[in-house]
Amino acid sequence: MEPFPHLYSVEAVGSADGHVDVDSAGLPQLQSAPPPQFGGPGGQWSPESLLAAAAASCFILTFRAIARASHLNWTRLEAKVDATLDRVDGVTRFTRIVTRAALTVPAGTSTVSCERALTKAEAGCLIANSLRGERELQMEIIKSTDAESELQLAQSS
C-alpha cells in the first residue's frame, strides 16, 4: 500500500438536461442521473446509488483483507446496503446505513471467527467511516457442504 494521503480525481460533465458523464483516468466512463425520488428518469446510477455501491464494495474489499490476514477460508460474501437519505435540521444527508452480509464458508468454520471478521470489516470500511449516519451490520453465516465448497473454490479459481 502506498503511504497516505491518497488522491482520487474524478471529472463530471453535464448540461442543463440529461445525464452526467463521470470520468476518472484509466476507468470506464459512467453516466449518472438523479434518482426517480428527485424527478430523475431512473434506470441509471445516481450519486445516491453510487454512494451505497461504494459502501457495499468497500465492505467486501475490507473483509477480503481481514479474512486473508486471519486465514479465514470463505467462498462468497454478498453485501446488500440500504442507505437512508433524510432531511435533518434543514440538511439532506445520509442518516443510516444498514449492511446485510451473507457469508458462505466451508462446513466446520467457526461462526465466531466469521462474525468477528465481518464486524471488523464493517468497522474498518473507509467509505462508511467517512459518513456521519448510524450504521448497522446484519450477518448471516452460510456453511456449505464440503462438495459445495470444493465446487465454489474451483469456480472462483
Side-chain angles (χ1 to χ4, degrees):
M1 182 167 69
E2 295 180 21
F4 290 105
H6 299 175
L7 176 65
Y8 300 92
S9 297
V10 174
E11 180 177 326
V13 178
S15 61
D17 291 312
H19 63 267
V20 173
D21 291 323
V22 181
D23 287 294
S24 186
L27 299 176
Q29 184 181 74
L30 291 175
Q31 293 182 339
S32 71
Q37 297 90 330
F38 284 111
Q44 292 185 39
W45 286 98
S46 68
E48 296 82 1
S49 59
L50 286 166
L51 184 133
S57 177
C58 182
F59 173 75
I60 290 175
L61 294 173
T62 303
F63 177 81
R64 184 184 289 172
I66 290 167
R68 186 175 295 129
S70 303
H71 305 288
L72 177 65
N73 291 321
W74 60 288
T75 55
R76 182 177 173 87
L77 175 55
E78 296 178 36
K80 180 181 181 207
V81 169
D82 292 322
T84 302
L85 187 69
D86 204 352
R87 197 153 178 85
V88 179
D89 298 326
V91 176
T92 304
R93 66 180 184 87
F94 284 95
T95 57
R96 182 172 174 80
I97 293 180
V98 177
T99 303
R100 290 176 180 83
L103 176 64
T104 303
V105 296
T109 303
S110 164
T111 300
V112 171
S113 296
C114 294
E115 290 173 349
R116 185 179 313 123
L118 288 166
T119 300
K120 283 183 180 181
E122 197 284 329
C125 173
L126 68 94
I127 299 299
N129 286 339
S130 299
L131 302 171
R132 294 189 305 183
E134 289 180 43
R135 290 159 53 181
E136 179 183 342
L137 174 62
Q138 298 174 3
M139 298 178 252
E140 177 185 8
I141 311 299
I142 303 160
K143 296 193 178 180
S144 60
T145 65
D146 290 337
E148 289 172 332
S149 296
E150 288 175 21
L151 178 61
Q152 289 172 339
L153 286 172
Q155 290 174 342
S156 65
S157 300

